[in-house]
Structures are given as C-alpha cells and as structure tokens.
Amino acid sequence: MKKTRIISIAMLALVFGAACKKDLLDRLPQDRLSDATFFKNENDLKIYANRFYTIVPFQGHTGDVGSDNFVPRDRNAFLAGTYTVPNTGGGWTWTNEREANYFLARYERADASAEVKAKYAGEVKFFRAFTWWRKVVQFGDVTWFGKDLNENSPELFAPRTPRAVVMDTVLKDLNYAVANLPVPASAEQDRINKDIANAMKARICLWEGTYRKYRGLAGADAWLREAATAAEAVINSGNYAIYTSGTPTKDYVNLFIQEELRGNKEAVWARRFVKDQSMHNTTRQIADVWPSFSKDFVESILCDDGLPIGLSPRYQGDDTPEKERTNRDPRYTQLIVTRDYVVTQNADGSADKITLPRIPAVTTGYASAKYKSPDPVQWVANQSTLDLFLIRYAETLLIYAEAKAELGEASQAVIDQTINKIRDRVGMPHMIIAALVKDPNSTFPTLGVLLDEIRRERRIELAQENFRFDDIIRWKAGSLINNPKTIVGMKLTAALRAQYPASQVAGIQVDADDHIRVYTDITNRTWNDKLYLYPLPLQEMNLNPQLKPQNPGW
C-alpha cells in the first residue's frame, strides 16, 4: 500500500540532530550532550537511540561487487592487490562505539521503569555489537573499550584486544538485546525487537563460528550452536515466511522492488523510504552503471531439475544467451537480464525491452536485474521510495541450514524447513540429501556435498546483498578469487558478435573460449592471504605504538 504521513527512523535521527542544535548545542559544548539536561526520561532515551538506526547498511545493488560474483568496469583495488595502507581513516573510526558507551554510562538516570530503560539499553547494545563485529571482521584484533573516552583517557594508548575477547563481548551485548527487547507484537513499529536481535545474532554467530572452524580456532562449535539457536528462535516465532504470490517466474525479482515492506512476512527488518522525506538512488544508479555478474556466478546456478550444469542433461550450453538461460533455476532470469526483460514500462504503454545483451555498457553481458524497478518514477535521481531489506527471512533460514550442517545436524527435516521453503518460491525441485551428487565443477572440491550445496543456495538466493565477500573470508576461501571465470563474461561468439553494430563490439576482447575479457591486461587475479584483514592506518600506529604490529602482510 502507498506510504503516507510516515516518519521513518532515519527522519527521527535527522529531527534529533536538528533539535540538539537548536535546543542544546547552542548553549553547550558541540561535541557532547550535557549530563545536566539529558537522559531525564524515556523520550530522551528514545531520541538518543535513534541516531544508531542508520548504521546497519541496507541491502543494495552494489553488494558483492568486491567478490567473485561481479566484475566491475574498474578493477577492485583490494582484490587486485593495489590497495595501499591508508594514513588515516580506512574504517578505523570509533564515533558509533563512543556514542554507544556514552549512553550506556548514563541511561539509568532516566525517570523510567527498569523495563523501559533495559529496552533502550538493549537497542544500543545491539548496535554496539554490530559495530564492534564489523571492526573485528575488517581488522581482527581491535582495542575494546567499554566506556566513552575523552582526549585524556589512557585507553587511547592501549594495545589491541584479542579478537576472541572482543567477540565474547559482542555476544554478551547481543544476548542482552535478545533478553530485553520486546517481541514484535508489543514493539513500536520500525524499532528493533527480539526477532531482529536474534536474526542479527544468528548472522554474527555463524560468521564467527565458521571463521574459527576453518582456521582451527577454539570455540567454533559453541558459536555455531548459538547461530542455530538464534535462527531457530526466529523460525519458531511464526512471524515470518518466504514471500510469494504464487508466480514463481516473478516473485523473487518482485520482492526487491516493493513500495512497502511493512507487512511483508519476509521482512524481519527493512529500511523504509518515504516520498520527500527519505529516498534513495538505487534504480538510477543501476541504470548509470549496470552491475555485471561474472561467468563463475552464472555457471553456479542450477538447472531446473535441481542439478548443476556439469551433471544436468537439461543444460543447453552457453553458445547463445538464449541457450544459457534455458532450463535453469527460475532465479536465473530474475537475477540476470535476458531477452524480453522490461527495462522501463512507460505510462503510455511503450516499453524499453532487452533484445541483445547491452555490451559493452554491461561489462560481462550478464546485467543484474535485482533492485531495478521498471517504473520510470523510480528512475528519477535520488527519488526512489522502494523499501530495502536490512534482514530478510531467507537469510535466517540459510543461516540455520548452514549452522546445522556445520554441526553435523542437518537432517532432511532441517533442509525441508529451510532450503526447500526458499526453493518453493520459484518452483525449484526440493533438495533431497540422499540424492545429492557432488558437482564435478565445484569450487569447493574437498567439501562435503551437503555443505557445498547449502553454500551454493546461499550464493544464489543472497546474490547482491553484500554477503559474498564476508562468506569468502569466514570460510577462508580467498583462493576462489584466482578462478579466471570470476573476471570474464558471457560467450561472445562470432555469430553473436555479428548481431551488433561493428562499432559497438569492436573493442571487446575474448579469451580462448570466447568469453568476454573485462580486463585485457590480466587473465586472472591472484589472492594474497593478507587480504583476509585490512591494514591499520599508519597515523594511528604512530600515535599509539602499542597497536603494532601491523596486520600480517601489510
């Protein structure tokens, strides 16, 4: 339904900022609130907590560009090995963490019930857990501080805290949030609740559990158990379901171009956008530079009999785009733009439809269809009001399946409850554990077939949602980047080339198998294990020598 007269959380944060400037900061120091005038009541707690609601990124079209799923026009500096150690910045910023600690040191002063105070503390601890986890993902060991600091605090010159200790604190914050946030039925709309906290806990715990498992670190199973338990709590709540209208050829792509996600049972948590209040630019940005899937990603999509292309008799090969899309998982044509795809549907009934892949504008020929609305209204710069996911239920189901498989507990009942619910949306055959056959072209040749196929399902279902590089890191699978097919595109045969104006394809080069070469100076990338972590900024280590040594390889 059309959204009207709704003030989003993001707008509340803006209102808070304006109110602070008018009512407080004109009289008080610009870098802090006054203990004497704030944290007086529940409204103060709520207003302060609003500032954190924009720090969790929504899932958007640029997700996965720095991975093996996409091939950007300009080489990703990090994966290309040309990223340099920054002097400052580079993610080593602590504003959110300091502001969270500032709240947690003062919130109990409010004239409010213990339950209300614990609820807002739960919100802030949820966000503090998220921000510190992202620091650990990026840098490994980071300095933990549990109070807000000032320029004289000795903690500014402390050494880094071992990542395991930081993650233990992250888990404590998440558990507090789960215990003290309200269930959705009694929570204020658009504020985080117990289910959101459990879903985020499941995401973080799966990351940490697999990170430890594939590096031989202690505690992996305990974290995987926490992931499974948190995901199961969301499932058992009965509040969520995979979105479907009964149209398997359209439901997946339509899920990501909805004007209103409030009430959509797949939305565990969504960022809502409102006309003239809070809008974004996703469809316009896709039109300007269409994200382009890699050949490697395209070949990972199953055929419609549930078998990989290396095993299925229904695979037609890739000599033409039409053959390549034939008999594939219905998500193929909902992720990848193919012939007759409607780019824009105009009010006068006319439409812009795809005939040939729009190369070279689409670098690989495999243009992404996800997040792009055919409605011209959504193409206006910075005017899109389509809601975007922060957490969707399909991810939670995939977390549960993977965590249970890692623990050796993924029965057919678990797969039916998770993977097969997702497949039902698009009419794909169910995954039957007893019938699984190892893909001869698997990118994980030593992995058991069940985990291999769960990872594949995750790659396809969550494509472009900014999970893939994190997955590569936690699985310690950086060598996937070495595959030449991660930087090439569709097959551009002489017959297909002849269908284009000569000037349009004159500069396009192909490899020995006629795949489009996006980067003409290299045939593959070379993974370096130092890329599992980012480097610390040089200036920070100069200011605090105890942060040394630098992360390995940098």
Side-chain angles (χ1 to χ4, degrees), residues 63-75:
D64 296 350
V65 168
S67 74
D68 54 349
N69 281 356
F70 282 93
V71 192
R73 185 175 305 281
D74 298 319
R75 292 170 65 186

Side-chain angles (χ1 to χ4, degrees), residues 141-175:
D141 296 346
V142 293
T143 305
W144 163 260
F145 52 96
K147 61 182 181 180
D148 58 297
L149 307 182
N150 57 50
E151 61 273 16
N152 299 315
S153 298
E155 290 88 351
L156 293 174
F157 302 96
R160 290 197 272 174
T161 307
R163 66 176 309 285
V165 175
V166 178
M167 289 305 296
D168 285 345
T169 307
V170 165
L171 183 56
K172 288 179 182 177
D173 276 356
L174 290 168
N175 285 338

Side-chain angles (χ1 to χ4, degrees), residues 340-366:
D340 296 326
Y341 176 88
V342 177
V343 179
T344 51
Q345 180 67 58
N346 300 311
D348 62 5
S350 63
D352 175 17
K353 288 187 177 182
I354 292 291
T355 53
L356 291 169
R358 294 188 175 176
I359 53 177
V362 178
T363 58
T364 65
Y366 299 118

Side-chain angles (χ1 to χ4, degrees), residues 261-469:
L261 284 176
R262 178 183 283 176
N264 186 310
K265 297 201 75 173
E266 192 156 345
V268 179
W269 191 21
R271 180 70 51 82
R272 304 180 65 247
F273 293 90
V274 183
K275 179 69 174 173
D276 298 326
Q277 294 185 32
S278 176
M279 298 177 286
H280 61 89
N281 201 38
T282 294
T283 293
R284 179 58 177 263
Q285 286 177 315
I286 292 175
D288 290 342
V289 182
W290 280 27
S292 302
F293 285 110
S294 69
K295 184 69 173 177
D296 182 66
F297 173 82
V298 172
E299 289 189 343
S300 72
I301 301 174
L302 296 171
C303 289
D304 60 7
D305 57 4
L307 294 174
I309 64 173
L311 292 172
S312 175
R314 293 181 58 74
Y315 181 57
Q316 300 296 304
D318 63 351
D319 284 344
T320 68
E322 283 69 32
K323 284 186 176 181
E324 192 166 22
R325 76 176 184 178
T326 299
N327 301 334
R328 303 293 288 276
D329 180 332
R331 283 172 291 192
Y332 185 104
T333 53
Q334 297 179 71
L335 282 165
I336 301 166
V337 171
T338 56
R339 187 181 293 273
D340 296 326
Y341 176 88
V342 177
V343 179
T344 51
Q345 180 67 58
N346 300 311
D348 62 5
S350 63
D352 175 17
K353 288 187 177 182
I354 292 291
T355 53
L356 291 169
R358 294 188 175 176
I359 53 177
V362 178
T363 58
T364 65
Y366 299 118
S368 167
K370 199 167 179 176
Y371 302 111
K372 194 202 68 58
S373 170
D375 182 358
V377 173
Q378 302 298 334
W379 289 66
V380 180
N382 299 304
Q383 296 289 304
S384 180
T385 55
L386 301 176
D387 288 353
L388 296 170
F389 287 99
L390 293 159
I391 302 175
R392 68 181 179 100
Y393 187 53
E395 180 208 351
T396 303
L397 295 181
L398 288 162
I399 289 169
Y400 186 63
E402 185 178 348
K404 294 292 276 186
E406 292 285 8
L407 290 166
E409 300 172 358
S411 64
Q412 186 61 50
V414 168
I415 299 303
D416 289 342
Q417 189 179 19
T418 56
I419 303 295
N420 292 334
K421 293 288 187 185
I422 294 170
R423 289 190 175 189
D424 284 343
R425 183 205 330 258
V426 294
M428 275 289 284
H430 281 187
M431 179 186 290
I432 306 300
I433 295 175
L436 290 176
V437 179
K438 183 71 175 180
D439 183 356
N441 302 316
S442 171
T443 53
F444 301 103
T446 63
L447 196 66
V449 64
L450 177 57
L451 261 176
D452 196 1
E453 292 305 319
I454 289 173
R455 288 185 181 185
R456 184 202 302 273
E457 196 74 23
R458 180 180 176 89
R459 185 181 190 183
I460 304 307
E461 177 66 24
L462 302 184
Q464 214 171 338
E465 296 181 33
N466 207 27
F467 292 112
R468 183 62 178 178
F469 187 68

Side-chain angles (χ1 to χ4, degrees), residues 200-272:
M200 183 62 76
K201 177 183 172 181
R203 179 189 294 181
I204 292 173
C205 289
L206 179 71
W207 195 91
E208 182 66 10
T210 49
Y211 185 96
R212 293 188 185 205
K213 178 174 180 176
Y214 291 102
R215 288 163 177 80
L217 302 176
D221 280 1
W223 281 87
L224 290 167
R225 179 68 61 199
E226 292 279 4
T229 300
E232 188 174 28
V234 178
I235 295 169
N236 289 343
S237 74
N239 294 325
Y240 310 98
I242 295 299
Y243 164 81
T244 178
S245 71
T247 312
T249 59
K250 295 181 179 179
D251 280 344
Y252 178 80
V253 70
N254 284 344
L255 176 63
F256 302 98
I257 53 171
Q258 297 198 16
E259 180 79 13
E260 179 61 84
L261 284 176
R262 178 183 283 176
N264 186 310
K265 297 201 75 173
E266 192 156 345
V268 179
W269 191 21
R271 180 70 51 82
R272 304 180 65 247

Side-chain angles (χ1 to χ4, degrees), residues 73 359-361 363 492 497 500-511 515-521:
R73 185 175 305 281
I359 53 177
T363 58
L492 184 60
R497 187 186 290 267
Y500 292 89
S503 60
Q504 186 173 340
V505 294
I508 298 178
Q509 296 185 24
V510 297
D511 64 14
H515 299 136
I516 294 172
R517 291 185 61 191
V518 177
Y519 311 128
T520 57
D521 57 335

